Amino acid sequence: MNMQQGNYMNFTDMTPEEMGFLQQATAGLTESQTSYFYMVYSSKRKASQEILLLTLLGFVGFAGIQRFVLGQIGMGIVYFLTIGFCWIGTIVDLVNNKSLVLKYNKDRAYESHRMAMMTP
């Protein structure tokens, strides 16, 4: 239990929601699977500050970069071609950046959990 707390405490901007789903994801894993889970998850996880900075680039002509980084290629192209829906979409992403990152990180946690379950 102490090892698990040490693993997810290494993330600087962890929200209580993220901590909750990480605890659920690692509940049934062995110690080696848990360490593998955190190794994979930490390499795929995005920080909300990173996405916030990429969203701010939308105001200087690079709209949609945050969507590309979050794996939403189609929305990234739409944002780029429409200048972030005339900056309205970019403003919405500024407001909702934590929820965008949380959804992305949850998806990466599920993916990491499936990978960890396959290890002995």
Side-chain angles (χ1 to χ4, degrees):
M1 188 75 158
N2 206 6
M3 180 187 145
Q4 290 177 353
Q5 285 180 344
N7 282 327
Y8 64 75
M9 290 300 179
N10 292 334
F11 304 126
T12 57
D13 62 339
M14 179 171 290
T15 62
E17 294 88 5
E18 186 178 5
M19 187 180 302
F21 73 77
L22 288 180
Q23 287 174 341
Q24 285 180 331
T26 57
L29 299 177
T30 65
E31 197 157 321
S32 64
Q33 288 174 330
T34 301
S35 61
Y36 183 76
F37 169 85
Y38 281 112
M39 181 186 67
V40 172
Y41 179 70
S42 65
S43 68
K44 296 180 180 207
R45 182 182 182 274
K46 299 292 181 199
S48 60
Q49 294 92 354
E50 174 186 351
I51 301 303
L52 179 64
L53 289 173
L54 292 173
T55 304
L56 288 172
L57 285 176
F59 291 112
V60 294
F62 301 105
I65 292 176
Q66 75 278 10
R67 295 293 183 148
F68 285 109
V69 170
L70 292 174
Q72 301 173 353
I73 306 301
M75 283 300 289
I77 292 171
V78 170
Y79 269 55
F80 184 74
L81 295 176
T82 62
I83 309 168
F85 296 127
C86 297
W87 293 303
I88 294 171
T90 303
I91 293 170
V92 170
D93 281 358
L94 279 175
V95 173
N96 294 326
N97 91 349
K98 288 195 185 269
S99 64
L100 289 170
V101 172
L102 182 64
K103 182 187 178 320
Y104 177 83
N105 286 340
K106 276 186 179 182
D107 292 343
R108 298 300 77 81
Y110 294 136
E111 184 179 302
S112 300
H113 182 265
R114 285 191 299 268
M115 292 174 70
M117 290 297 289
M118 290 189 269
T119 62

